[in-house]
Amino acid sequence: MKRPAVFFDRDGVLIEDSGYVFEVSKLRWIDGAREAVKAANDAGCFAFVVTNQSGVARGLYEESHVEELHKVMIDDLAKIGAHVDAFEYCPYHPEAPIERYRRVSPRRKPAPGMINDLLERFPVDVSRSILIGDKPTDMEAARAAGIKGYLFVGPNLEHFLRAVLE
């Protein structure tokens, strides 16, 4: 049975974007972010995170740091009975100083690759799915994947999402 999905960008939507967030100690949730994920869960939607992580390609941190931060986010969400069905991230950048990460990737937003990969793996009702992002590149990725994009500018993600879902 197909279900709608809410695709969340990470930095600037779920967590504060203080520039290449990778240290668990610097994780700060946006107001209402955890509650927004729970609202998506309670509405019967898949909750996905799609995030560019060019800091890996720039040598600022490792993929293991991204994965560790996502585990902490999962644990924080579980404390309020919320969950993310899948995290997708793109560590690539076309001008990366680290050669193995230097490429144009179909998964790097504004390309829709991360979204499309999730659409292939999960029974998503595309016509009822949305992406919430904080940048024009997020909106371009949503459009390219055939889902509606909503630009979040704050202050409270739960209020924003509930208004969109109504």
Side-chain angles (χ1 to χ4, degrees), residues 5-159:
V6 178
F7 295 84
F8 294 97
D9 177 46
R10 195 188 82 178
D11 302 349
V13 174
L14 289 176
I15 64 173
E16 291 180 10
D17 188 354
S18 56
Y20 301 108
V21 178
F22 69 94
E23 295 168 291
V24 170
S25 65
K26 293 187 178 172
L27 170 64
R28 302 284 179 272
W29 289 92
I30 295 281
D31 286 341
R34 286 174 286 194
E35 296 80 6
V37 173
K38 178 135 177 46
N41 298 155
D42 292 347
C45 299
F46 288 109
F48 298 128
V49 175
V50 289
T51 178
N52 287 343
Q53 290 298 310
S54 69
V56 173
R58 297 173 198 278
L60 302 174
Y61 49 90
E62 301 288 328
E63 287 189 68
S64 62
H65 293 116
V66 175
E67 292 160 7
E68 181 182 353
L69 188 72
H70 291 170
K71 284 180 185 156
V72 170
M73 291 173 71
I74 288 166
D75 291 344
D76 281 354
L77 288 165
K79 291 173 187 171
I80 66 161
H83 69 275
V84 168
D85 293 284
F87 284 84
E88 292 290 324
Y89 69 92
C90 180
Y92 304 107
H93 191 279
E95 298 167 10
I98 298 178
E99 188 174 345
R100 71 177 181 212
Y101 292 111
R102 188 182 315 130
R103 72 172 80 153
V104 173
S105 172
R107 290 175 49 83
R108 182 174 171 75
K109 293 180 288 180
M114 287 186 283
I115 298 167
N116 288 338
D117 288 349
L118 289 163
L119 294 176
E120 287 179 21
R121 290 191 354 243
F122 291 86
V124 174
D125 180 344
V126 175
S127 69
R128 295 189 301 143
S129 295
I130 63 169
L131 179 141
I132 299 176
D134 66 329
K135 294 183 175 65
T137 51
D138 296 319
M139 301 304 101
E140 290 176 48
R143 203 168 23 258
I147 61 174
K148 292 180 187 127
Y150 292 89
L151 195 62
F152 175 70
V153 293
N156 185 294
L157 187 61
E158 179 188 16
H159 298 159

